[in-house]
Amino acid sequence: MSNVKKSPWLLHYDGSSCNGCDIEVLATMSPVYDAERLGVENTGDPMQADIFLITGGINAQNESVVKQLYEQMPNPKVVVAVGICACTGGVFKECYNILGGADTTIPVDIYVPGCAARPQSIIDGIIKARELFEKRSLEMKNGNTAEAANE
């Protein structure tokens, strides 16, 4: 494991899931799996968050909320779609009210499939997100702001 220069903060948002993935995300943050040992902190404030962890599909009601949360996050930022619904719309993608996965609304960097995604897979996604965040932070520090700003 690399030396973490900054502890990235996670913002978890439930788009429109069945709550299966949300329960697994909570298990990931619990003492059993303890994702905080990887150098991440959970927050409810998008202005403090570095990693946006989203579960559930995107629908017409939450599309603007997801965009707003994403836009409030400072650069650099990383988006992780957790669960098949956040990745593609899942079993609900043919429903009249589902627009699809998170990438229909915001750019997604890491996909964690599963129904529901297992804590081990979520931890793997968090590790990849932390590494990508560190890379983007370094690029931003060195002046490559266009790449680091997720454009």
Side-chain angles (χ1 to χ4, degrees):
M1 194 178 317
S2 66
N3 185 14
V4 177
K5 304 286 187 240
K6 175 182 186 269
S7 293
W9 286 26
L10 292 172
L11 172 66
H12 171 223
Y13 179 77
D14 173 17
S16 61
S17 74
C18 68
N19 291 336
C21 289
D22 295 313
I23 291 168
E24 298 300 329
V25 168
L26 292 175
T28 302
M29 301 309 281
S30 75
V32 173
Y33 294 98
D34 193 20
E36 289 184 357
R37 69 187 156 85
L38 305 171
V40 296
E41 293 286 331
N42 202 10
T43 183
D45 183 0
M47 294 180 197
Q48 302 291 326
D50 305 303
I51 299 171
F52 190 10
L53 198 132
I54 186 166
T55 58
I58 302 300
N59 62 31
Q61 290 183 330
N62 69 17
E63 180 181 28
S64 63
V65 174
V66 171
K67 282 181 184 176
Q68 183 180 25
L69 290 171
Y70 178 79
E71 290 168 359
Q72 288 178 351
M73 292 175 63
N75 286 324
K77 55 191 159 200
V78 177
V79 177
V80 181
V82 175
I84 198 67
C85 292
C87 292
T88 67
V91 298
F92 305 107
K93 71 180 171 189
E94 300 298 324
C95 293
Y96 72 95
N97 64 329
I98 296 293
L99 303 174
D103 58 6
T104 61
T105 303
I106 58 174
V108 174
D109 300 298
I110 312 284
Y111 293 89
V112 180
C115 184
R118 297 188 48 90
Q120 297 90 332
S121 300
I122 297 169
I123 287 173
D124 186 47
I126 290 172
I127 290 170
K128 289 177 182 174
R130 189 195 69 190
E131 290 169 356
L132 182 57
F133 174 74
E134 289 176 8
K135 178 183 173 200
R136 287 182 177 167
S137 294
L138 186 61
E139 288 173 351
M140 210 166 162
K141 183 179 178 183
N142 293 335
N144 298 343
T145 55
E147 291 177 22
N150 307 336
E151 295 180 349

